[in-house]
Amino acid sequence: NRSELQYPPFSAMIKIDFTGTIKEQVKKSAMEFINYINQSGLIEMYHLESQLNIDHLIITKDREKEKASFAIKINIQKQNISPLKDILFKYILKFKSNEVKLLVDVDPTKMW
């Protein structure tokens, strides 16, 4: 149940997806995001090490699409995400890529 797993509305969650057709670009964008969050001090403040570990990033391939599509999905789950939302907003404004799409969903209703 949502309460036991600390899913919204019992905690806050942010889902961040990087998708694109070039695997290396998708991974590079996700790594740049993690470095940005790390430099902001939020990884240490929120203890996000396990949620934002580069080694645990999984690149998935969508085989149903005509073109290969790769994705890295990052889920951050905490009680108070207000400072994180402010930092994310600044990151979204500066994110520029023709090869990678960035999707940020606060308190998502679906995890896929």
Side-chain angles (χ1 to χ4, degrees), residues 35-95:
N35 289 336
Y36 177 84
I37 294 297
N38 191 29
Q39 290 172 359
S40 73
L42 289 177
I43 287 182
E44 196 171 303
M45 181 191 320
Y46 274 93
H47 307 288
L48 298 174
E49 296 85 0
S50 63
Q51 295 179 58
L52 295 178
N53 187 332
I54 293 285
D55 297 330
H56 296 145
L57 294 181
I58 298 171
I59 298 179
T60 58
K61 184 176 181 181
D62 188 345
R63 298 182 195 282
E64 294 179 13
K65 294 187 178 182
E66 195 170 303
K67 277 181 129 180
S69 178
F70 299 93
I72 291 180
K73 299 177 183 303
I74 300 170
N75 297 312
I76 300 172
Q77 182 179 338
K78 292 292 171 190
Q79 291 296 326
N80 177 14
I81 59 170
S82 293
L84 186 56
K85 287 194 311 190
D86 294 340
I87 296 293
L88 275 175
F89 182 71
K90 291 175 187 172
Y91 183 80
I92 292 166
L93 290 177
K94 73 175 221 136
F95 182 80

Side-chain angles (χ1 to χ4, degrees), residues 7 10-11 33-34 42 47 56 75 93-94 98 104 107:
Y7 285 160
F10 303 100
S11 72
F33 166 75
I34 291 171
L42 289 177
H47 307 288
H56 296 145
N75 297 312
L93 290 177
K94 73 175 221 136
N98 292 328
V104 177
D107 289 335

